[in-house]
Amino acid sequence: MKNLILFFIMSIAFLLNACANDGDEPDLPSLKNPVATTPSDITDNSFTASWNFVSTAKSYRLDVSLQSDFTSFIEGYESLEVTALTAEVTDLTPATEYYFRVKAVRESAESDFSNVVMVTTTGTIIDTDVNLKDKAAGNFFVGAAVSTNRLTGGYNDLLTNEFNSITAESEMKMRTIFLGPGDYDWTRPDALVEYATDNNLNIHGHALVWHVEVPDWMTTFTGSNEEFEQIMEDYIKTVVTRYAGKITSWDVVNEAINDGGGVRNTIFLDKLGPDYIAKCFQWAREADPDVLLFYNDYNTPADLTKQNDVYALIDELQADNVPIDGLGLQMHISIDSPTRQQIQDDVDKALERNLIVHFSELDVRVNPDGREIVGTLTEERDFDQRLKYKEVVDLYNDIPDPFKYAITVWGIRDPDSWIINQYDRPDWPLLFDGSFNRKSAHTGFLEGLE
Ligand code: GLA
């Protein structure tokens, strides 16, 4: 009888228990709190957070904050659902303390938070008040492309505070200067030279020979090839002589190699013959024995056939003792391309040939092909652009001193950039916004000089 009563009580207890567990949740133990562990892969801008496995948890929720009491969160890292036991935390600032914590989750059940782990990103906090040219500290020039109608007000302030070199965006090209055989208009190039001299700025001359912006009278020239060659020799010698001692360097020939390789078919190739590039360098050298002479071209880091042909051209010039001092890599690039390694490989080839390297027309597009076009400079693209500027400047800064010359950015304010017309889409490729304020890209440039 005693056993029967015991059996009866146990059966009732079992039934009551079964009824109590009749909801959606199976009868699982409560979730233990995860233990956040030592972070790994810490870089200037990221780290990997990790924590221990919690039995029966389906996922984890990660918080990352600048404060140990989590009064605010890093964008994208408030209760971020993660199924793995690690998460990469990206887009962070160098040399900054971050805190993370995590909780375990199973359907509507949650654990309490784990312990809080502090992590400091690598790198150094840089003084963002410093100017570009001061930060470069005389190791190389920091230049900007300019035009005579952008030399006053905010342009003047930035040119004289941030930069120590200028390149004429257009006004030292043939179409501006060369009105006809023996007929020159010096108004605008002279104004730029005077401005640079008054403000103690270096001048890079751009460009003696380019197949674009050729004067109309030249493209319709009907005289003999000998006459054309004489006109070209006179032009190069007259321009280089006029500015000898004032202009430090010239792009003698710009963009003579096609995209995808091969010598570009231009009026100069047609009328002067296959050694026209050598002739142009020789004439420039005869006019000024001291000026630095550059060949300048674009997209060679990413277009390897073009790059090979550029170096084949340079090898030929050097084998024939043609006076070439340097190579201008234009660096009209984007946040996605080319990679650091591609740029480095290109630079290395120039250095193997003892050429001075000029990053001559730097701008970084944030709306490249293959990405969704954004109508405003989003925080993410702004950050990517800062990293790209940092990467490019850092790489340039590592070039041995005798082979450095300048990094020239192709304009000052975003809205003035040629990129916007060229690609017919919004973009913000430069270091300063429309109100002459520094962008994150400017910080990236400074970071590259660390
Ligand atoms: C090339 C030229 C520059 C400039 C840009 C934009 O890069 O070298 O002078 O004109 O194109 O058009």
Side-chain angles (χ1 to χ4, degrees):
M1 184 63 186
K2 212 165 134 195
N3 280 350
L4 202 63
I5 291 170
L6 198 61
F7 174 76
F8 183 71
I9 291 171
M10 279 175 69
S11 304
I12 300 252
F14 177 80
L15 271 174
L16 283 174
N17 192 33
C19 290
N21 284 324
D22 209 18
D24 292 339
E25 279 262 312
D27 182 23
L28 292 173
S30 61
L31 286 163
K32 291 219 163 75
N33 299 342
V35 177
T37 54
T38 313
S40 56
D41 302 328
I42 304 169
T43 71
D44 288 10
N45 311 107
S46 64
F47 67 86
T48 300
S50 46
W51 49 89
N52 288 345
F53 172 74
V54 172
S55 168
T56 75
K58 290 206 163 152
S59 62
Y60 302 86
R61 292 196 183 274
L62 172 69
D63 290 341
V64 185
S65 174
L66 284 165
Q67 301 93 21
S68 59
D69 58 358
F70 294 82
T71 40
S72 67
F73 300 90
I74 301 300
E75 203 192 326
Y77 296 96
E78 180 178 3
S79 212
L80 175 73
E81 178 151 19
V82 184
T83 47
L85 297 176
T86 60
E88 200 191 354
V89 183
T90 58
D91 284 3
L92 305 176
T93 308
T96 304
E97 281 180 8
Y98 292 92
Y99 298 86
F100 77 90
R101 66 184 180 188
V102 70
K103 57 166 68 162
V105 180
R106 182 187 65 229
E107 267 114 40
S108 57
E110 299 193 327
S111 71
D112 282 338
F113 283 114
S114 68
N115 52 317
V116 172
V117 171
M118 196 255 283
V119 50
T120 308
T121 46
T122 53
T124 40
I125 295 185
I126 60 154
D127 175 6
T128 50
D129 287 339
V130 72
N131 296 322
L132 301 174
K133 67 172 177 193
D134 296 337
K135 188 83 176 169
N139 289 332
F140 58 88
F141 292 116
V142 182
V146 299
S147 52
T148 48
N149 61 350
R150 294 186 190 134
L151 294 177
T152 56
Y155 296 106
N156 177 58
D157 292 344
L158 291 179
L159 283 169
T160 53
N161 283 321
E162 297 269 7
F163 298 96
N164 50 13
S165 181
I166 59 166
T167 301
E169 187 165 356
S170 275
E171 292 166 314
M172 289 188 185
K173 289 175 184 161
M174 234 179 220
R175 197 180 180 90
T176 305
I177 298 178
F178 208 11
L179 304 183
D183 191 5
Y184 300 87
D185 181 351
W186 302 111
T187 322
R188 287 184 282 168
D190 274 3
L192 291 177
V193 171
E194 192 183 325
Y195 176 80
T197 311
D198 289 351
N199 291 289
N200 207 15
L201 300 165
N202 176 67
I203 310 169
H204 172 68
H206 171 81
L208 293 170
V209 180
W210 190 33
H211 62 285
V212 184
E213 299 193 48
V214 174
D216 292 340
W217 66 265
M218 245 184 166
T219 51
T220 53
F221 184 77
T222 50
S224 70
N225 287 356
E226 289 69 30
E227 284 166 337
F228 191 89
E229 180 161 335
Q230 191 56 56
I231 287 169
M232 284 296 293
E233 179 177 346
D234 287 349
Y235 176 77
I236 289 178
K237 289 188 169 172
T238 305
V239 175
V240 174
T241 304
R242 183 176 184 87
Y243 297 119
K246 294 180 177 161
I247 286 187
T248 314
S249 51
W250 275 104
D251 288 330
V252 179
V253 178
N254 192 30
E255 303 179 356
I257 303 295
N258 280 317
D259 295 340
V263 176
R264 194 186 291 278
N265 194 5
T266 66
I267 187 173
F268 309 110
L269 176 69
D270 182 39
K271 296 197 182 296
L272 272 65
D275 59 345
Y276 86 91
I277 298 172
K279 287 177 186 167
C280 294
F281 275 86
Q282 296 286 8
W283 295 328
R285 173 57 72 236
E286 283 167 31
D288 184 349
D290 299 322
V291 72
L292 294 172
L293 303 178
F294 284 80
Y295 174 77
N296 193 51
D297 216 324
Y298 65 91
N299 202 30
T300 50
D303 182 342
L304 291 185
T305 10
K306 179 171 185 173
Q307 184 188 103
N308 284 339
D309 285 357
V310 165
Y311 288 109
L313 165 68
I314 287 166
D315 288 343
E316 208 178 300
L317 294 175
Q318 290 186 326
D320 293 343
N321 289 319
V322 174
I324 175 170
D325 300 296
L327 178 64
L329 301 179
Q330 290 189 7
M331 305 299 286
H332 296 297
I333 63 174
S334 85
I335 50 176
D336 290 340
S337 172
T339 64
R340 182 182 181 122
Q341 193 57 52
Q342 286 175 315
I343 302 169
Q344 187 66 60
D345 291 346
D346 202 353
V347 166
D348 288 345
K349 287 187 181 164
L351 295 177
E352 280 163 25
R353 290 163 174 83
N354 288 321
L355 293 170
I356 299 169
V357 178
H358 182 194
F359 283 180
S360 53
E361 305 184 16
L362 176 61
D363 43 36
V364 180
R365 275 168 285 136
V366 304
N367 265 333
D369 294 335
R371 278 225 201 185
E372 178 207 347
I373 305 296
V374 292
T376 52
L377 179 56
T378 62
E379 228 178 271
E380 183 214 347
R381 305 266 173 122
D382 184 62
F383 188 78
D384 289 349
Q385 188 184 48
R386 169 176 157 189
L387 291 186
K388 201 69 189 174
Y389 267 103
K390 176 183 174 184
E391 181 180 284
V392 166
V393 174
D394 181 57
L395 188 157
Y396 190 84
N397 207 20
D398 280 349
I399 293 174
D401 280 345
F403 300 99
K404 287 190 189 111
Y405 177 58
I407 298 179
T408 300
V409 283
W410 208 241
I412 293 180
R413 298 187 325 154
D414 280 337
D416 301 325
S417 168
W418 71 290
I419 294 285
I420 294 158
N421 286 333
Q422 178 76 18
Y423 289 85
D424 196 23
R425 59 176 77 146
D427 218 309
W428 300 266
L430 296 170
L431 301 176
F432 301 92
D433 69 17
S435 308
F436 300 98
N437 294 316
R438 292 172 172 191
K439 294 164 56 197
S440 307
H442 184 281
T443 306
F445 200 117
L446 293 175
E447 285 169 336
L449 292 169
E450 276 293 303

